[in-house]
Amino acid sequence: MNPRDRRLIRALQDGLPHTADPYAEAARRCGLSEDEVLQRLRAMKADGRLRRMAAIVNQRHVGLQGNVLAVWSVPDDRADAVGAALAAHAEVTHAYRRPRGTQWPYALYTMIHGPSDEACAALAAQWAEALGVTDYLLLPTVREFKKSAPVYFDDEDDEA
């Protein structure tokens, strides 16, 4: 990662500026031209350093009050297929497979969002039935302590 790309990522990691010309503003922030910003983003996309750029919507502001972590216990030989099937639902924003513990049989984790916790539970029940999964738990969010986008580079990263 070269210094210009680091400056560009630093300028964009908190989101696009809320202006009529966000890429021009990002260019100003990192000392590049707007054309160079767009060229560098295209290059990062092409070589896989940038997967996507997307809007992050505050779910509660658009009426999605439900926020449930579902944990699923499925046999290891079905975990990838079931995980992919669960991840395909628009209501699932995060889907992970993790090692199960000796006292914790759950290897799949999905974050389900909906209008209410009850609606999320109904979706999970529907999906469980369709996938033949009988062992799962629903863990509604009680309190959110932190939710932030990742920080890839900070001001302490050297420019060399």
Side-chain angles (χ1 to χ4, degrees):
M1 183 82 49
N2 66 49
R4 287 180 179 174
D5 289 344
R6 283 172 148 331
R7 286 196 315 267
L8 176 55
I9 289 170
R10 191 177 296 121
L12 293 176
Q13 68 188 358
D14 288 331
L16 283 172
H18 299 286
T19 67
D21 295 314
Y23 294 105
E25 175 59 22
R28 186 194 63 72
R29 288 181 185 178
C30 64
L32 301 172
S33 71
E34 183 176 6
D35 285 341
E36 189 171 7
V37 163
L38 294 171
Q39 175 187 359
R40 296 187 97 66
L41 289 172
R42 285 185 196 106
M44 284 188 244
K45 174 79 170 140
D47 69 18
R49 289 180 289 161
L50 175 67
R51 187 174 57 192
R52 65 187 169 107
M53 290 183 64
I56 298 174
V57 177
N58 182 317
Q59 68 202 38
R60 300 204 186 276
H61 289 152
V62 296
L64 298 177
Q65 301 297 318
N67 187 20
V68 174
L69 175 66
V71 294
W72 310 82
S73 179
V74 298
D76 288 338
D77 63 344
R78 292 192 60 222
D80 286 347
V82 171
L86 292 168
H89 295 285
E91 298 87 355
V92 173
T93 58
H94 298 72
Y96 298 98
R97 181 176 178 187
R98 298 195 169 154
R100 61 182 87 243
T102 55
Q103 306 266 327
W104 184 255
Y106 306 99
L108 296 177
Y109 297 76
T110 57
M111 186 58 77
I112 305 169
H113 301 280
S116 66
D117 288 349
E118 295 77 15
C120 294
L123 286 172
Q126 176 185 337
W127 300 338
E129 184 176 343
L131 294 166
V133 177
T134 58
D135 188 2
Y136 68 97
L137 294 176
L138 301 177
L139 308 169
T141 299
V142 174
R143 181 175 174 199
E144 184 177 286
F145 291 101
K146 180 179 181 180
K147 186 173 188 176
S148 63
V151 174
Y152 300 100
F153 301 110
D154 61 25
D155 292 334
E156 295 178 18
D157 288 320
D158 86 73
E159 294 286 330

